[in-house]
Amino acid sequence: MGSLLAELHDAVGADGVLTDADVTAAYRRDMMPLAPYGQPLAVVLPASAEQVRAVVRACARHRTPIVPRGAGSGLSGAANAVDGCVVLATVRMNAILEVDPDNRLAVVEPGVVNLDLRGAVEKHGLFYPPDPSSYDWCTIGGNLSTNAGGLCCVKYGVTTDSVLGLDVVLADGELLRTGRRTVKGVAGYDLTRLFVGSEGTLGVITRATLALRPLPQAPATLVAAFDGTAAAGAAVSRVVAEGVVPSLMEIMDRTSIRAVERFLKTDLGADGALLLCQSDAGGEAARRELAAIGQACESAGAVLVYATDDLGEGRDLLAARRAVLPALEVYGAWLTDDVCVPRTRIADLIAGCERIGDEVGLRVAVVGHAGDGNMHPTIVYDPSSEDEFVRARRAFDEILGLGLALGGTVTGEHGVGKVKREWLAREIGPVGLRVHREIKRALDPGNLFNPGSMFEL
Amino acid sequence: MGSLLAELHDAVGADGVLTDADVTAAYRRDMMPLAPYGQPLAVVLPASAEQVRAVVRACARHRTPIVPRGAGSGLSGAANAVDGCVVLATVRMNAILEVDPDNRLAVVEPGVVNLDLRGAVEKHGLFYPPDPSSYDWCTIGGNLSTNAGGLCCVKYGVTTDSVLGLDVVLADGELLRTGRRTVKGVAGYDLTRLFVGSEGTLGVITRATLALRPLPQAPATLVAAFDGTAAAGAAVSRVVAEGVVPSLMEIMDRTSIRAVERFLKTDLGADGALLLCQSDAGGEAARRELAAIGQACESAGAVLVYATDDLGEGRDLLAARRAVLPALEVYGAWLTDDVCVPRTRIADLIAGCERIGDEVGLRVAVVGHAGDGNMHPTIVYDPSSEDEFVRARRAFDEILGLGLALGGTVTGEHGVGKVKREWLAREIGPVGLRVHREIKRALDPGNLFNPGSMFEL
């Protein structure tokens, strides 16, 4: 047995192995400031499933952990290096292997950027729904590993709802094929969905067969302003109860509104909360959906409701929502939660976040996917102040506790990674944790893949 | 340690333990004539999760296998008894515990009949989509264990797409809670979907939280007649490619049409194939969808296209589809496959089934869910003839091979059970089978649950 680095060179070629600390620094962590990260032995950039298999076999022989990684846009530390590990980044495996419009599916390698896939299938009149906010640079492999969401989820679900099958390299280097190319199929356990969202702890995804949808109609947009979050929360509940399914339904709380108004130098016309909704049903159907949403908002106490099917105007209205994070950056660094609560508890969550912000003495802005209850309370802190960082961390944790107390989950779309392990344990309890460990041990007995992420073995 | 029967009495009460062979006979098998079945030691009818836990603990102590069972409507032998086992039927656990219209979910016990749940949520303007053809007597627990489908799937997916969380009693009697009550959530592995479709091999489902949808509009119906299956298959491909998603899209081949015409004493106006489609989009939107489907059918060569939004007329048109099995029973017993193929290969599948029918000298009628490629080739044979039974079994297997050869799966919605184990192995290959065994061993090391179903450990 030679040295691991020599074997990695053999596996992926010299230009596929990075060891210079200046270069590997860019691969040490993702976008979550709270998660720990270590110093990798090397970063490898395999170009094929065969190369991934060779890397996995070499690391297994040397008992060196592998941390799989996409673009590093994650917000849980799941892709963060541990000391002495090999970071396996799939960015070179970025081919769209097939788009089959007649069966509405695509076959892709994991390094394909979400936006590139969207563009490629749009040419065929097709739609790949999952749209995490990093869609212009995150990769499908990362989306699969974290089961990424986005703005589309209220109508189109999360990543797992668009996956038909996977190729996965297992801990002994064998290649597992899961799923199928057909719309339906119940042959055996649903291994596809076991690997989706497993955050690189069970294997390395080297190929995915994805289900596509017909391209929806251009969206019509509605904005509703409320004096307080209770009324906005009630409006969401009414929309849900009345059976309307918008293609987008976002909420901004008072703190978000104020930050954006100052940032964009505009008046959003709302003191307490703003709802932004879209329908992609097209024409008369879209107008009917937005009318029903408008009525629900008015009867819940909206002070202003405005709808338009002008695309440019719709984009301008949505710009306020998209400006929240840049607007908050004016005040400092941000730290975002992604708790998901039952849709009836959104107002309670926002009120609780306001209270937590007051307690820790930091700005907490809540923005989120109201249509599915997945909220992003975002804590603003001064990154140069250790004290503020500690308070931000406290607020981050208290919001997770609040989400659980409201009947929700600690993570709606970002994942557990290295930052919410204790919270995963709290949410799923000892039996749930035991089952996680049993599955991990069964598939990865040497704890080769992403050790210490999600849970300690 | 007393006798197992005494412990089962303690666990569920004397009236919850059936041992009389005349009584237990009704619990020995499901509706699949090809699958083997044995003689159970007892049938137990627990009334609560606690009773299930006690039964599981007792059986584990005595190393006596447990075969979980719903209503027994399955078509794979997954619920079939093995000799000396305890059949655990969940029919007494039939409470609808909660319907929450504001969060669009229901919490139910496994013994609830699918139709009862549909009715209960409809009162709230809500819809539970999965509609296996046995919906008026099958139970939610069985639907979950087999990941049941139905006519709705082309638009609304299969059972797993409607499940938010489960309670499951594990092999050591511990109660596992999976999932959540929120729409989104990525905390940990997707254990919910690992248990859905696991056919009772990993645990006993004792409770489910189900996602509901708004009640759709009353359906408008379209029927299209074709001279041959190639044209009908081309029509399906065109509908898919054009991005129309009907709420139902069924196909009948020539043999089905002839049997139904004779049975219903009617003329269906089609020599080669019939497509039946519905749209539940309502009003103008439904008319537009059906017009697009009609146009796709005509340009693919339909000899007749007829659409109606009259409910009664729509029901009458669908009656032909529903009459296929009764119509075939006139000629003998039937055996149905459920291969699912890419939607572009439906015509090839039908042509292949015709060829297989000729080869074995038996009538093979193909009817199925054209919109998702899930076909039910149905073989008719004389149950009193051992020779015909052998030929029927041969046709059954050859159709599975054909489905695989066309890029499909051996089971789109019925499951593997005790009748397709060899075919599962062939479809998923040695690595897939190994992973199945690793997961089974991890969660059920004593092989307590449904041993020998799906795969041999």
Side-chain angles (χ1 to χ4, degrees), chain B residues 99-326:
Chain B
V99 178
D100 177 350
D102 291 343
N103 290 301
R104 274 199 218 130
L105 61 82
V107 182
V108 304
E109 291 187 322
V112 171
V113 170
N114 183 296
L115 179 63
D116 294 341
L117 175 61
R118 307 174 79 76
V121 305
E122 202 172 308
K123 284 181 207 145
H124 299 274
L126 293 169
F127 174 48
Y128 177 69
D131 59 348
S133 60
S134 55
Y135 70 95
D136 54 348
W137 67 289
C138 65
T139 63
I140 297 297
N143 295 172
L144 291 164
S145 296
T146 56
N147 192 11
L151 303 183
C152 75
C153 307
V154 56
K155 184 162 181 178
Y156 297 109
V158 293
T159 297
T160 200
D161 298 308
S162 292
V163 188
L164 296 173
L166 298 174
D167 282 9
V168 183
V169 175
L170 300 172
D172 63 356
E174 290 288 346
L175 187 74
L176 170 71
R177 293 236 149 96
T178 77
R180 48 188 198 278
R181 286 172 66 98
T182 55
V183 181
K184 287 164 78 177
V186 293
Y189 300 153
D190 191 347
L191 299 180
T192 303
R193 280 158 161 169
L194 178 62
F195 283 97
V196 172
S198 64
E199 302 184 4
T201 62
L202 299 177
V204 181
I205 295 169
T206 57
R207 184 181 288 205
T209 304
L210 304 171
L212 306 173
R213 287 175 176 267
L215 199 59
Q217 303 294 310
T221 306
L222 174 145
V223 59
F226 299 84
D227 279 341
T229 47
V236 173
S237 291
R238 274 172 203 249
V239 169
V240 173
E242 277 174 26
V244 190
V245 182
S247 59
L248 175 151
M249 189 178 205
E250 299 286 307
I251 193 168
M252 292 169 60
D253 76 341
R254 186 169 51 175
T255 311
S256 310
I257 292 168
R258 285 188 189 157
V260 167
E261 284 184 334
R262 204 170 134 178
F263 183 67
L264 295 181
K265 299 184 178 53
T266 185
D267 179 2
L268 295 176
D271 278 337
L274 207 61
L275 277 185
L276 285 152
C277 305
Q278 289 192 323
S279 167
D280 63 5
E284 192 45 50
R287 274 189 290 275
R288 220 176 21 244
E289 282 187 7
L290 291 192
I293 293 173
Q295 211 154 22
C297 290
E298 273 165 6
S299 67
V303 294
L304 180 149
V305 171
Y306 176 73
T308 176
D309 52 13
D310 183 88
L311 266 184
E313 204 179 2
R315 213 165 13 234
D316 289 347
L317 291 170
L318 263 196
R321 162 68 179 90
R322 297 199 192 277
V324 172
L325 285 183

Side-chain angles (χ1 to χ4, degrees), chain A residues 233 236-237 240 251 337-353 366-377 398-413 427, chain B residues 100 102-105 164 180-186:
Chain A
V236 174
S237 292
V240 174
I251 193 168
D337 264 307
D338 67 313
V339 289
C340 188
V341 295
R343 287 168 285 193
T344 46
R345 308 309 295 274
I346 291 172
D348 297 324
L349 181 86
I350 294 174
C353 288
V366 184
V367 63
H369 316 309
D372 50 41
N374 189 193
M375 296 288 110
H376 294 304
E398 283 188 12
I399 290 165
L400 296 177
L402 174 64
L404 282 186
L406 292 173
T409 171
V410 296
T411 175
E413 57 184 10
E427 178 169 334
Chain B
D100 177 350
D102 291 343
N103 290 301
R104 274 199 218 130
L105 61 82
L164 296 173
R180 48 188 198 278
R181 286 172 66 98
T182 55
V183 181
K184 287 164 78 177
V186 293

Side-chain angles (χ1 to χ4, degrees), chain A residues 407-427:
Chain A
T409 171
V410 296
T411 175
E413 57 184 10
H414 295 165
V416 175
K418 294 176 180 82
V419 80
K420 287 186 200 154
R421 289 186 307 203
E422 296 76 13
W423 286 98
L424 174 71
R426 202 188 289 198
E427 178 169 334

Side-chain angles (χ1 to χ4, degrees), chain A residues 234-405:
Chain A
V236 174
S237 292
R238 273 172 205 249
V239 170
V240 174
E242 278 175 24
V244 190
V245 182
S247 58
L248 175 150
M249 189 179 205
E250 299 286 307
I251 193 168
M252 292 168 61
D253 77 341
R254 188 168 49 176
T255 311
S256 311
I257 292 167
R258 285 186 191 160
V260 167
E261 284 183 334
R262 207 172 130 177
F263 183 67
L264 296 181
K265 299 186 177 53
T266 185
D267 180 2
L268 296 177
D271 279 337
L274 206 61
L275 277 184
L276 285 152
C277 306
Q278 289 191 325
S279 166
D280 62 5
E284 191 46 49
R287 275 190 288 276
R288 219 176 23 244
E289 282 188 7
L290 290 192
I293 293 173
Q295 212 155 22
C297 289
E298 272 165 8
S299 67
V303 294
L304 180 147
V305 171
Y306 177 73
T308 177
D309 51 13
D310 183 87
L311 265 186
E313 203 178 5
R315 213 167 11 235
D316 289 347
L317 291 170
L318 262 196
R321 162 68 180 90
R322 297 200 191 275
V324 171
L325 285 183
L328 292 174
E329 277 170 1
V330 171
Y331 303 101
W334 53 261
L335 194 59
T336 191
D337 264 307
D338 67 313
V339 289
C340 188
V341 295
R343 287 168 285 193
T344 46
R345 308 309 295 274
I346 291 172
D348 297 324
L349 181 86
I350 294 174
C353 288
E354 207 164 307
R355 198 194 65 238
I356 291 168
D358 288 347
E359 278 167 19
V360 300
L362 292 174
R363 196 184 301 262
V364 178
V366 184
V367 63
H369 316 309
D372 50 41
N374 189 193
M375 296 288 110
H376 294 304
T378 304
I379 307 143
V380 185
Y381 66 100
D382 175 357
S384 69
S385 157
E386 174 64 20
D387 171 62
E388 286 212 2
F389 183 73
V390 167
R391 283 187 279 145
R393 164 101 221 190
R394 207 176 92 209
F396 182 86
D397 279 335
E398 283 188 12
I399 290 165
L400 296 177
L402 174 64
L404 282 186

Side-chain angles (χ1 to χ4, degrees), chain B residues 228-229 253-255 258 272 347-366 377 399 402:
Chain B
T229 47
D253 76 341
R254 186 169 51 175
T255 311
R258 285 188 189 157
D348 297 325
L349 182 86
I350 294 175
C353 288
E354 207 164 308
R355 197 195 64 237
I356 291 168
D358 287 347
E359 278 167 19
V360 301
L362 291 174
R363 195 184 303 261
V364 178
V366 184
I399 290 165
L402 174 64

